[in-house]
């Protein structure tokens, strides 16, 4: 099992798909990495030599911010917004949608499961 950027990459998948298991690398960045290293996209991880894995690891370390550093950067950006007290920071602080979505209905992913309100009855027409 290849280990790149602190993540165990699945061995039986294609390199292009396996690289997306690393936080911060999607399909487009994975394709860029594979072309820079000079590996065909159809190769599987278990077909790679140790030298090719090392070159992939070096390209990722040199050119991309991934895993812990990326998570830390995102958390710091959110913390900065919250400390500033701007609108987006307040929405993060309250656990509500940040990008203008409606909250009267929906938004259950951010708000959590619905809580019953005592004394509220359904109005029948």
């Amino acid at each position: 099992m290849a280990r790149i950027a602190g993540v165990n990459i699945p061995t039986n998948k294609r390199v292009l798909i396996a690289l997306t298991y690393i936080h911060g690398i999607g399909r487009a960045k994975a394709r860029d990495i594979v072309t820079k290293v000079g590996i065909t996209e159809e190769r599987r991880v278990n077909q790679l030599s140790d030298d090719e894995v090392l070159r992939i690891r070096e390209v990722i370390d040199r050119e991309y911010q991934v895993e812990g550093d990326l998570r830390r950067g995102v958390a710091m950006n959110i913390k900065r917004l919250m400390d500033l007290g701007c609108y987006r920071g307040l929405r993060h602080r309250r656990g509500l949608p940040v990008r203008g979505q409606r909250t009267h209905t929906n938004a259950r992913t951010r708000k959590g499961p619905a809580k019953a309100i005592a004394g509220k009855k359904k109005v029948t027409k």
Side-chain angles (χ1 to χ4, degrees):
M1 182 169 281
R3 189 166 175 84
I4 300 173
V7 176
N8 291 329
I9 304 282
T11 55
N12 55 346
K13 293 190 183 282
R14 293 187 306 141
V15 178
L16 193 67
I17 303 302
L19 286 176
T20 62
Y21 279 65
I22 300 170
H23 181 75
I25 296 180
R27 289 279 185 98
K29 285 184 183 177
R31 188 169 283 122
D32 290 343
I33 292 166
V34 166
T35 54
K36 285 177 185 173
V37 174
I39 300 171
T40 60
E41 295 179 4
E42 290 77 30
R43 295 270 302 274
R44 305 232 172 226
V45 175
N46 55 12
Q47 297 171 342
L48 294 177
S49 66
D50 291 338
D51 181 51
E52 289 170 333
V53 173
L54 184 66
R55 285 189 301 182
I56 291 173
R57 197 175 294 137
E58 287 172 352
V59 168
I60 290 173
D61 288 342
R62 185 175 61 241
E63 298 181 20
Y64 299 101
Q65 188 180 21
V66 293
E67 281 300 323
D69 295 335
L70 181 61
R71 291 180 204 270
R72 194 174 310 107
V74 170
M76 290 300 292
N77 289 339
I78 293 171
K79 185 178 181 319
R80 178 180 54 83
L81 291 171
M82 288 166 58
D83 291 343
L84 283 173
C86 65
Y87 183 77
R88 282 173 58 200
L90 295 176
R91 302 298 282 184
H92 274 292
R93 198 177 301 160
R94 292 181 185 155
L96 294 169
V98 178
R99 297 185 177 176
Q101 296 91 336
R102 68 181 288 127
T103 57
H104 180 71
T105 60
N106 303 331
R108 281 291 141 215
T109 302
R110 286 292 294 194
K111 291 168 76 173
K115 300 170 200 75
I117 300 171
K120 184 176 182 182
K121 301 274 187 182
K122 287 187 179 178
V123 179
T124 56
K125 292 185 181 181

